[in-house]
């Protein structure tokens, strides 16, 4: 049996592995295919593709966009996209500048709470265009202002905590359209974490292609539940670990093992879509 992990992050967003380290881990775990899904960027895809080719692993370029539907935050994964698509690159550049401003605002809130963190420290540590709350948390730990990442989120960074700043979110329909016009497929990430299944029919109508049934934080029952929804709405089935690097001693990569047939269906659907677009 061949398996894939289609939800992975690198240091181009809030993961800690380089693309090469990530692929080395994929090899160690015997994966046949991986997808890179960094938040609001596709920058790591070229290097990950090259490393995958050397390792004999299939590579799927991707990204993870933050969106909203009826007041709920959703993450939309884009797969098989053209990573050179001009509109995709222009829009993600805008999301990245919004992320950078949000970091400055979170740091200002921390300073107002007399937590002496500098934005420049967060940017230096993040060293990427798509910084997020995990980088603020790491900077707080590095400066010994928090004991660990959990404390940083619990005290300051979780939703409605004092340094939390709401994030700009496009509509789910806009995220799906942006992915489609770049030749990609749009997949709802970790629906089990969103607690808003009622919005699924609306985003299916907006063109959603698939649903992430298997995820580190989905129970067996949750995965079964979303497999049922995938069947009902004729959606592709995906899955991934959402690995961000070492987590409590070992990386999550490979802990979710998606049967390879789903990768084949994903590729087939992308090829059909793009041949329709050309015809
Ligand atoms: P952001 O995109 O800046 O809002 O940050 C969201 C990211 O923070 C997620 O993708 C996770 O990687 C991470 N995250 C969110 N909540 C927590 C938490 N409670 N503890 C640790 N990491 C978290
Ligand atoms: Fe993340
Ligand atoms: Fe996510
Ligand atoms: Zn993710």
């Amino acid at each position: 049996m061949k398996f894939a992990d289609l939800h992975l992050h690198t240091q181009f967003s809030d993961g800690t592995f380089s693309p090469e380290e990530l692929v080395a881990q994929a090899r160690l775990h015997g994966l046949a295919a991986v997808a890179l899904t960094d938040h609001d960027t596709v920058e790591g895809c070229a290097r990950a593709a090259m490393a995958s080719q050397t390792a004999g692993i299939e590579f799927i370029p991707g990204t993870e966009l933050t969106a909203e539907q009826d007041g709920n935050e959703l993450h939309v994964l884009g797969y098989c996209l053209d990573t050179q698509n001009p509109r995709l690159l222009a829009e993600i550049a805008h999301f990245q500048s919004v992320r950078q401003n949000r970091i400055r605002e979170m740091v200002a809130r921390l300073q107002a709470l007399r937590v002496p963190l500098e934005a420049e420290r967060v940017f230096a540590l993040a060293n990427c265009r798509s910084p997020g709350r995990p980088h603020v948390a790491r900077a707080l730990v590095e400066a010994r202002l928090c004991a660990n990442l959990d404390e940083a989120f619990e005290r300051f960074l979780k939703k409605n905590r004092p340094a939390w700043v709401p994030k700009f979110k496009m509509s789910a329909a806009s995220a799906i359209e942006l992915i489609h016009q770049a030749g990609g497929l749009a997949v709802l990430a970790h629906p089990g974490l969103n607690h808003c299944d009622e919005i699924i029919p609306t985003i299916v109508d907006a063109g959603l292609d698939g649903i992430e049934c298997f995820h580190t934080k989905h129970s067996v029952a949750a995965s079964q539940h979303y497999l049922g929804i995938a069947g009902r709405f004729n959606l592709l089935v995906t899955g991934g670990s959402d690995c961000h690097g070492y987590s409590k001693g070992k990386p999550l990569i490979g802990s979710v093992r998606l049967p390879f047939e789903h990768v084949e269906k994903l590729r087939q659907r992308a090829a059909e879509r793009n041949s329709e677009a050309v015809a």
Side-chain angles (χ1 to χ4, degrees):
M1 277 288 273
K2 295 204 291 179
F3 295 98
D5 186 334
L6 301 184
H7 192 152
L8 299 164
H9 296 270
T10 66
Q11 35 186 231
F12 283 95
S13 68
D14 56 4
T16 58
F17 290 137
S18 68
E20 292 78 16
E21 287 166 340
L22 186 75
V23 172
Q25 286 287 335
R27 195 159 176 229
L28 209 63
H29 289 85
L31 294 170
V34 291
L36 181 57
T37 55
D38 272 319
H39 300 282
D40 294 336
T41 185
V42 290
E43 274 175 289
C45 289
R47 278 170 54 187
M50 212 183 302
S52 297
Q53 196 178 16
T54 308
I57 294 172
E58 267 200 48
F59 179 72
I60 295 174
T63 188
E64 183 172 15
L65 303 176
T66 308
E68 175 189 36
Q69 181 66 48
D70 302 331
N72 300 289
E73 178 170 324
L74 307 173
H75 293 180
V76 182
L77 297 160
Y79 288 118
C80 305
L81 340 109
D82 169 12
T83 58
Q84 305 292 323
N85 177 265
R87 225 192 91 206
L88 177 73
L89 294 178
E91 294 209 25
I92 60 185
H94 171 68
F95 305 148
Q96 290 165 6
S97 79
V98 170
R99 278 180 171 274
Q100 291 161 21
N101 288 334
R102 180 174 176 241
I103 298 286
R104 292 190 187 92
E105 219 177 305
M106 286 192 280
V107 168
R109 291 195 188 194
L110 285 166
Q111 289 172 350
L113 296 163
R114 300 181 183 281
V115 178
L117 189 70
E118 296 293 332
E120 287 321 309
R121 202 44 233 144
V122 180
F123 291 129
L125 186 148
N127 191 28
C128 73
R129 295 195 177 103
S130 243
R133 284 181 291 165
H135 298 113
V136 179
R138 285 176 211 158
L140 284 167
V141 173
E142 182 201 61
R144 297 178 184 274
L145 295 164
C146 287
N148 52 48
L149 301 177
D150 282 343
E151 185 194 319
F153 271 93
E154 286 302 324
R155 273 176 66 196
F156 298 120
L157 301 171
K158 263 170 79 164
K159 187 171 179 183
N160 298 326
R161 294 293 147 90
W164 175 72
V165 174
K167 187 152 115 198
F168 158 80
K169 300 179 204 73
M170 72 188 109
S171 71
S174 309
I176 293 168
E177 191 273 333
L178 181 61
I179 291 164
H180 282 172
Q181 68 80 43
L185 298 170
V187 172
L188 179 63
H190 44 63
L193 305 188
N194 303 340
H195 310 294
C196 55
D197 286 1
E198 66 282 2
I199 57 88
I200 292 175
T202 309
I203 58 174
V204 168
D205 284 343
L208 189 75
D209 301 290
I211 185 161
E212 188 175 55
C213 296
F214 305 102
H215 182 274
T216 307
K217 292 193 175 157
H218 281 182
S219 63
V220 172
S223 295
Q224 287 299 327
H225 171 70
Y226 291 109
L227 285 167
I229 290 181
R232 204 170 324 141
F233 292 98
N234 188 28
L235 295 168
L236 294 162
V237 169
T238 73
S241 63
D242 212 349
C243 176
H244 284 74
Y246 279 95
S247 155
K248 304 194 168 80
K250 76 180 212 295
L252 289 172
I253 183 170
S255 61
V256 170
R257 295 169 78 78
L258 180 74
F260 200 75
E261 63 183 86
H262 297 297
V263 177
E264 284 162 350
K265 287 183 185 156
L266 185 79
R267 282 213 187 275
Q268 198 180 346
R269 185 84 63 105
E272 282 164 13
R273 181 70 55 74
N274 291 315
S275 68
E276 279 163 27
V278 171

